[in-house]
Amino acid sequence: MLLLLLGIILLHIAVLVLLFVSTIVSSWLVNNSYSADLWQNCSEGVSSTWNCLTASNNEWLQSVQAMMILSIIFSVLSLFLFFCQLFTLTKGGRFYLTGIFQILAGLCVMAGAIIFTVRHTEWNKDPAANFGFAYILAWVAFPLAAISGIIYVILRKRE
């Protein structure tokens, strides 16, 4: 049982790391001389210096920012609730609240990534730009958060 709990906690921490990195790192769209994320657009200027500007004020980009921040908040709350329920839940009880918050975190990151996928062409007209690793990490965080949430819902507390 201890190994199962340790595995679940490590999975949850891995999801949190993926969510933080995908939200913070400037690599949602990349090109040879261009890099963009949810917060800023950077392009290579003269003498290999990078010029960064604040990202657009589009409503859809703000909704992606909000979804990614909400996913982090839900995942942190879920981890906190897991530790609280671990010590206060009665024997045989299930971690429903923890699982619901983790599933919500997964749904938020999925919604943010879908919105970005559909609408990024309105923001970035460069056809040579590719999705960066932070965008891919957001998509990897979605199934891991959902699986983690389902595990929490199924998990029963034992002595």
Side-chain angles (χ1 to χ4, degrees), residues 4 6 8 42-43 54 57 62 101 105 110 127 130 133 144 153:
L4 178 66
L6 184 61
I8 291 170
C42 297
S43 59
T54 304
N57 288 331
Q62 291 176 349
F101 275 103
M110 179 194 68
N130 297 317
F133 77 92
L144 291 178
V153 169

Side-chain angles (χ1 to χ4, degrees), residues 2-159:
L2 186 61
L3 288 176
L4 178 66
L5 288 176
L6 184 61
I8 291 170
I9 292 169
L10 288 176
L11 176 63
H12 198 126
I13 290 172
V15 169
L16 269 174
V17 168
L18 289 175
L19 290 174
F20 272 112
V21 169
S22 66
T23 303
I24 295 171
V25 173
S26 181
S27 185
W28 278 62
L29 287 175
V30 292
N31 193 353
N32 292 338
S33 61
Y34 179 77
S35 177
D37 69 348
L38 305 178
W39 312 104
Q40 62 185 357
N41 298 335
C42 297
S43 59
E44 189 174 11
V46 292
S47 67
S48 298
T49 59
W50 285 84
N51 300 322
C52 295
L53 301 171
T54 304
S56 169
N57 288 331
N58 291 335
E59 293 84 12
W60 68 267
L61 186 59
Q62 291 176 349
S63 66
V64 174
Q65 293 169 346
M67 287 292 138
M68 293 303 292
I69 290 171
L70 277 175
S71 69
I72 291 172
I73 291 170
F74 283 142
S75 190
V76 168
L77 277 173
S78 177
L79 188 61
F80 177 73
L81 285 171
F82 173 69
F83 285 120
C84 289
Q85 286 183 323
L86 191 60
F87 296 111
T88 60
L89 200 62
T90 60
K91 182 179 175 183
R94 292 187 185 233
F95 296 89
Y96 287 123
L97 196 57
T98 302
I100 288 170
F101 275 103
Q102 190 67 358
I103 290 171
L104 282 174
L107 291 176
C108 283
V109 72
M110 179 194 68
I114 287 174
I115 293 169
F116 189 85
T117 303
V118 172
R119 304 294 293 267
H120 80 280
T121 54
E122 296 174 11
W123 174 45
N124 179 21
K125 305 287 186 198
D126 186 8
N130 297 317
F131 291 114
F133 77 92
Y135 170 82
I136 295 167
L137 289 180
W139 275 112
V140 170
F142 157 62
L144 291 178
I147 290 168
S148 175
I150 292 169
I151 289 172
Y152 281 130
V153 169
I154 294 171
L155 186 67
R156 287 185 185 268
K157 182 178 179 186
R158 294 191 179 162
E159 277 297 318

